[in-house]
Amino acid sequence: MAECGRFAPTPSGRMHLGNVFSALLAWLSVRAAGGELVLRIEDLDTLRCSAENAGILKDDLRWLGLAWDREQPDQSARSEYYASILDLLRGEGFVYPCWCTRGDLKNAANAPHASDGHPIYPGTCRGLTPEERAAKAKERAPLWRLRVPDGDVTFIDGHYGAYTENLAHECGDFILRRADGVFAYQLAVVADDIDAGITQVVRGRDLLPSTPRQLYLYRLLGAAPPKYYHVPLLTAPDGRRLSKRDRDLDLGVLRGKYTAPELLGALAHAAGLLEKREPVSAEELLPLFDWAKIPRNDIAIEI
Ligand code: GLU
């Protein structure tokens, strides 16, 4: 089967250097394998995302020379599709409605926390009777959680190797749909990657702890998962992680200071693909690309 990769940016602001680094490696990995690339705008959070930002994002990718072959519908337009996937899971008894608020969970004494910082759900609404559910449903709409097993999910990351997580102990029953009706990233990303026939996912190492959750969803849905390659994060020279708040390293500023080949050269050098920091195009990097050259530690970059 031909390889198919994707860019899945969230248009909540301008791309920063770290986003460009992940996009470059996603592009190189799938192009080097002769595969195709899909672009999907992940705008589930309609308060933080905008069509204007999505347009700028596409323009930035074109400016960088990172072309894609096809576009998937924006996530904000796919509620019906996600609802059908949630219904499938509901039909099998894998999900349950929950009325706990964020405040309830914060107040739970000594609640353990998952690796991504959210409190592990203590299972309060897991065992409600149909009568209890009916009574609560009259008051307000529930959110929907996936029941997770007490067992290890292990996978081999293409870059970081074996990674294991016990979903019950390290994550807990996680949310698939919020009480306001917005679908959660975990559900949408799996539903969309299945729909697009994605065979490889290249993304920042910050999403590594989400991967066992997503693999568990693949298992329940009976779909073949893609191969995952997580990439190191870029940091400022003082070790600070880059974020959308660092306006000095977003493309709005960087495009005024550098050409695209200069920026790609700096990133390719940081990635171990170029010995010297020199201007280069994405195409010119293709014959040099090799996962074995990419560092595993986060990379401090001066720009
Ligand atoms: N939309 C996510 C982001 O911009 C990426 C999700 C993914 O690659 O799975 O961080």
Side-chain angles (χ1 to χ4, degrees), residues 250-271:
D250 83 21
L251 273 189
V253 174
L254 293 174
R255 275 180 71 164
K257 286 195 194 163
Y258 302 99
T259 64
E262 281 168 347
L263 272 186
L264 293 179
L267 292 173
H269 176 64

Side-chain angles (χ1 to χ4, degrees), residues 2-286:
E3 287 285 326
C4 185
R6 40 71 149 189
F7 294 139
T10 299
S12 58
R14 201 77 186 248
M15 279 204 280
H16 62 66
L17 207 55
N19 304 132
V20 179
F21 186 64
S22 299
L24 173 64
L25 292 179
W27 189 94
L28 286 170
S29 175
V30 78
R31 293 288 188 226
E36 66 163 6
L37 200 67
V38 171
L39 172 71
R40 172 174 76 238
I41 298 296
E42 299 212 324
D43 57 351
L44 286 171
D45 185 347
T46 49
L47 291 178
R48 281 172 59 237
C49 298
S50 70
E52 190 192 345
N53 281 341
I56 295 172
L57 222 147
K58 291 180 194 177
D59 184 62
D60 282 341
L61 288 170
R62 283 191 204 100
W63 179 80
L64 288 159
L66 302 178
W68 57 93
D69 303 296
R70 58 191 167 95
E71 285 185 30
Q72 250 184 309
D74 295 353
Q75 288 191 328
S76 59
R78 302 219 80 187
S79 292
E80 273 178 38
Y81 172 54
Y82 304 143
S84 72
I85 301 281
L86 187 66
D87 280 347
L88 268 178
L89 296 167
R90 187 155 43 184
E92 301 283 338
F94 296 130
V95 296
Y96 62 90
C98 167
W99 285 268
C100 296
T101 63
R102 231 177 266 182
D104 295 337
L105 301 180
K106 251 193 219 139
N107 297 338
N110 302 324
H113 283 68
S115 49
D116 62 5
H118 78 265
I120 294 177
Y121 185 62
T124 322
C125 290
R126 204 185 228 237
L128 294 181
T129 62
E131 294 73 30
E132 287 168 325
R133 284 184 182 153
K136 283 182 181 283
K138 278 194 197 127
E139 283 164 33
R140 58 193 160 89
L143 55 84
W144 291 86
R145 287 185 187 274
L146 184 72
R147 204 183 286 276
V148 300
D150 182 358
D152 285 348
V153 176
T154 296
F155 76 103
I156 310 291
D157 185 80
H159 192 47
Y160 285 96
Y163 186 85
T164 299
E165 197 170 281
N166 177 302
L167 289 177
H169 295 165
E170 295 173 61
C171 167
D173 294 347
F174 58 91
I175 298 175
L176 296 184
R177 188 176 200 174
R178 299 191 330 208
D180 63 4
V182 175
F183 287 92
Y185 157 69
Q186 308 292 357
L187 178 90
V189 78
V190 168
D192 281 337
D193 283 343
I194 291 174
D195 192 42
I198 300 300
T199 63
Q200 60 167 270
V201 168
V202 177
R203 60 187 182 190
R205 186 181 63 74
D206 51 331
L207 288 168
L208 196 49
S210 279
T211 310
R213 286 171 234 182
Q214 293 169 17
L215 285 168
Y216 183 58
L217 278 169
Y218 274 94
R219 200 193 297 165
L220 296 183
L221 294 168
K227 174 104 185 139
Y228 290 92
Y229 297 84
H230 288 85
V231 307
L233 303 178
L234 297 186
T235 70
D238 63 5
R240 176 175 50 98
R241 249 176 77 176
L242 304 187
S243 83
K244 288 196 170 140
R245 285 185 297 277
D246 294 310
R247 297 301 306 274
D248 47 334
L249 289 176
D250 83 21
L251 273 189
V253 174
L254 293 174
R255 275 180 71 164
K257 286 195 194 163
Y258 302 99
T259 64
E262 281 168 347
L263 272 186
L264 293 179
L267 292 173
H269 176 64
L273 301 177
L274 277 185
E275 276 178 29
K276 281 197 316 217
R277 185 163 162 170
E278 57 195 352
V280 73
S281 69
E283 295 284 341
E284 286 167 327
L285 286 171
L286 273 177

